[in-house]
Amino acid sequence: MEFDFISLLTRSEWVLRIVVAAICGCLIGYERSSRNKEAGIRTHAIIALGAALIMVVSKYGFQDMGEFDSSRVAAQIVSGVGFLGAGIIFVRHGTVSGLTTAAGMWATSGVGMCIGSGLYDVGVLISILIIGLQALFHNKHFLRVTQSSQSICLEVLCQENVVKDIQNTFKKNGVVIHSMKIENLMEEIMHIDLEITGGKEFKEEKLLQDMMDKTYIKMFSYS
């Protein structure tokens, strides 16, 4: 009877690890979801939960065998989550998106592995660090420091002096255009990709408002 009680406590500890990992994944996913990123709360929670589960199985699921290497199963988590992360990285018109979210998913699997192996303090602290870094570097000041340029995609009606008007609007808002790529989608619509850098006077809200006031703009994407 004593053996069964101890066994129950041990298994409860394993379940607790998985639950704590899932909670940490939810917190990391919430930060991503709040920014309308591709992978949100459910994805990160399942990644952390799954990583913790695999760690528990890897450490304790083969104890009835004489000799076993507990790291062999756990090592596959890294490559497996890397495959998932690759699925949310997109390249559109020369612009790459999803890299930060994919890296966050990979780091979340590490959190799950920590907690699954019993390193609660490390897993929780790393979760807080990941969330803090994501929030900190989404701050406008740090975005200007860490990003050499930003991308803007436009779909506009083909009208006289459209490109010149766009250039003047950007210049008025303290924006420097480094490159401009123009592609005709249809007879009446052009797709324009721009790489820009905002100066000290650059205000994102003012630029967005000025651009949306233009009647010739059909689509405006800023990243």
Side-chain angles (χ1 to χ4, degrees):
M1 194 69 182
E2 182 181 357
F3 174 80
D4 291 339
F5 179 69
I6 294 175
S7 178
L8 179 61
L9 287 178
T10 301
R11 294 178 187 275
S12 298
E13 162 74 8
W14 297 345
V15 173
L16 177 62
R17 294 180 186 183
I18 296 170
V19 172
V20 172
I23 293 172
C24 290
C26 286
L27 295 175
I28 297 171
Y30 176 78
E31 189 279 332
R32 293 284 82 192
S33 179
S34 67
R35 303 183 190 281
N36 296 317
K37 299 301 181 179
E38 294 82 359
I41 297 174
R42 288 178 297 178
T43 303
H44 284 79
I46 292 172
I47 287 173
L49 180 152
L53 173 63
I54 294 170
M55 279 299 298
V56 169
V57 172
S58 183
K59 287 187 68 175
Y60 308 109
F62 304 98
Q63 291 183 339
D64 56 334
M65 300 176 63
E67 295 182 2
F68 71 97
D69 183 0
S70 62
S71 65
R72 292 184 65 183
V73 176
Q76 304 308 311
I77 297 175
V78 178
S79 56
V81 175
F83 176 78
L84 286 176
I88 64 169
I89 299 174
F90 297 96
V91 179
R92 182 177 183 274
H93 298 291
T95 302
V96 180
S97 63
L99 279 175
T100 303
T101 302
M105 290 169 61
W106 184 73
T108 301
S109 71
V111 169
M113 292 173 71
C114 277
I115 298 173
S117 62
L119 302 175
Y120 290 99
D121 51 349
V122 177
V124 172
L125 287 173
I126 294 301
S127 297
I128 295 171
L129 183 60
I130 293 171
I131 296 169
L133 286 173
Q134 297 278 30
L136 178 65
F137 288 106
H138 265 282
N139 181 280
K140 291 179 182 179
H141 171 74
F142 281 99
L143 278 175
R144 292 175 189 174
V145 172
T146 58
Q147 292 184 356
S148 58
S149 64
Q150 294 167 302
S151 300
I152 289 182
C153 297
L154 295 169
E155 286 185 5
V156 303
L157 294 175
C158 293
Q159 296 180 0
E160 188 176 358
N161 296 324
V162 165
V163 175
K164 185 176 181 180
D165 185 60
I166 292 172
Q167 291 174 324
N168 290 336
T169 302
F170 277 53
K171 184 178 180 180
K172 182 180 71 174
N173 282 276
V175 176
V176 177
I177 300 175
H178 295 288
S179 67
M180 177 182 293
K181 179 181 177 182
I182 300 175
E183 177 184 359
N184 287 324
L185 298 179
M186 293 179 280
E187 289 185 1
E188 298 182 351
I189 296 179
M190 292 188 301
H191 180 94
I192 303 176
D193 287 318
L194 302 110
E195 291 291 326
I196 65 151
T197 299
K200 294 182 179 179
E201 299 178 357
F202 171 56
K203 293 183 179 179
E204 180 180 338
E205 296 81 4
K206 180 66 166 58
L207 174 64
L208 291 173
Q209 185 59 53
D210 286 352
M211 296 305 291
M212 295 313 295
D213 287 342
K214 307 292 184 182
T215 58
Y216 56 75
I217 293 181
K218 296 303 178 183
M219 186 276 289
F220 182 95
S221 175
Y222 178 80
S223 61

